[in-house]
Amino acid sequence: MREWTTATTELAPGVFSYVQANGGLCIANAGLIAGRDAVTAIDGLFAPAMTRALLDEAARISGKRIDRLINTHHHVDHTLGNAMFPSETQIVAHAKAKEEMERAGLAVLPVIERLAPHFAGKLDGVQERLPDVTFDGAAMDLVVSDRRVRLLHYGTGHTRGDVIVYLPDERILFAGDLAFFYVTPLAHEGHIGNWIRNVERILDEVDAETVVPGHGPPAKKGEWREMLGYLRLVHEGTRRAFDAGATEREAIGSIDLAEYAEWVEAERIIPNVARCYQEFRGELHAIA
């Protein structure tokens, strides 16, 4: 099983990944882009202790205020920390991500505490903070000092409001949860068929040398292609089982995960197969 440590890494001058070890349930990554006068953060993380550590890292590497926070999608492991950022920090996301935050609220937190008891008592008093600025198209261009930053939306994949954060001059891509490296992807609110197509397009269209996933260590496009292999394996295996009239349990048993069985939380094949069955029954058109 691949292992990595919690660490801040400078990927290019002033551009940092903040990666949390293990990458399992609600243990996500973030990013920091330091400008002359302020810092742009990418994702706010989950538990208050996680966000405090990220804010401390931002202060350590730059000593400057955080004037902008980008949410790559609505899931609480990337957005629950929003409320801990300074009140003057502007939060940016896709319009569909904000819609999903408004729909979901914080109702998932008791479920997470049951699934991951180590979070029990560590989320007391947390509040939701929604994005201040949204865009509803395929792209939004930002500038951090003189650095170009592009927010790109390819449609529903992992969620309805997925955004990747692309620095074209540095060839660095913060992929949010469209990328999981050595951590099993989770599609409980997504569309695996679209997710596959979206990643294929990004790999073809976006010239990135370094990819920071939502979960797992930063890597190259090769690791993203490896993750794509997992999605295809599950999607195609489930399709065969579905067409043969198999139950979801039978479909799960028919799929040999091979090397992916060593990835963190391989048991996510259960909700992933269930989501594929919904897709094949035509039940997911409303999430587009």
Side-chain angles (χ1 to χ4, degrees):
M1 180 177 292
R2 178 74 175 268
E3 296 182 354
W4 57 94
T5 60
T6 297
T8 304
T9 303
E10 190 166 21
L11 306 174
V15 181
F16 301 83
S17 63
Y18 181 79
V19 171
Q20 297 193 96
N22 173 267
L25 182 66
C26 290
I27 304 175
N29 298 335
L32 298 167
I33 307 171
R36 287 186 298 272
D37 303 314
V39 175
T40 290
I42 302 167
D43 282 336
L45 304 181
F46 180 58
M50 295 175 175
T51 305
R52 279 195 294 270
L54 173 63
L55 294 173
D56 288 346
E57 281 296 276
R60 181 185 68 82
I61 64 176
S62 74
K64 300 178 177 67
R65 63 193 176 90
I66 299 175
D67 69 344
R68 181 190 292 129
L69 168 63
I70 300 167
N71 287 157
T72 60
H73 62 295
H74 75 281
H75 284 159
V76 290
D77 54 332
H78 297 259
T79 62
L80 193 61
N82 284 5
M84 295 187 63
F85 280 73
S87 59
E88 63 270 20
T89 299
Q90 181 186 76
I91 302 177
V92 181
H94 197 271
K96 291 181 178 178
K98 183 176 181 179
E99 290 172 5
E100 290 298 290
M101 291 175 68
E102 292 170 330
R103 174 192 62 80
L106 302 181
V108 72
L109 295 187
V111 177
I112 291 172
E113 289 183 331
R114 288 197 299 272
L115 294 174
H118 56 278
F119 284 123
K122 297 181 180 179
L123 305 177
D124 296 343
V126 296
Q127 298 179 349
E128 184 178 43
R129 182 175 169 188
L130 298 175
D132 306 297
V133 174
T134 63
F135 69 104
D136 197 18
M140 180 178 184
D141 292 318
L142 303 173
V143 176
V144 179
S145 294
D146 56 355
R147 192 189 307 272
R148 295 189 297 155
V149 179
R150 303 208 74 207
L151 309 188
L152 303 175
H153 173 67
Y154 279 77
T156 298
H158 175 70
T159 70
R160 294 177 64 232
D162 297 325
V163 163
I164 61 174
V165 182
Y166 177 45
L167 282 64
D169 296 328
E170 294 79 7
R171 299 176 67 204
I172 295 171
L173 177 61
F174 293 86
D177 278 6
L178 282 174
F180 287 68
F181 297 160
Y182 310 106
V183 178
T184 305
L186 180 60
H188 68 292
E189 289 188 315
H191 188 296
I192 291 183
N194 286 353
W195 191 346
I196 291 169
R197 288 186 287 272
N198 291 349
V199 173
E200 288 174 340
R201 284 186 60 198
I202 295 167
L203 289 171
D204 183 56
E205 297 173 3
V206 178
D207 179 22
E209 174 70 19
T210 301
V211 179
V212 181
H215 300 260
K220 307 299 182 183
K221 281 187 173 181
E223 278 79 359
W224 213 354
R225 291 188 179 93
E226 188 175 357
M227 187 217 77
L228 195 57
Y230 171 87
L231 294 180
R232 288 171 175 152
L233 178 70
V234 172
H235 196 253
E236 293 167 6
T238 305
R239 180 84 242 190
R240 287 192 297 270
F242 178 84
D243 290 345
T247 65
E248 291 180 23
R249 182 183 294 273
E250 290 168 338
I252 293 165
S254 72
I255 298 172
D256 178 6
L257 289 177
E259 69 272 19
Y260 300 113
E262 298 299 316
W263 283 23
V264 174
E265 298 188 5
E267 65 273 12
R268 290 177 177 179
I269 189 175
I270 298 171
N272 290 341
V273 166
R275 200 62 170 171
C276 286
Y277 265 68
Q278 290 178 289
E279 177 185 335
F280 300 148
R281 289 195 297 261
E283 298 170 0
L284 300 186
H285 58 277
I287 70 168

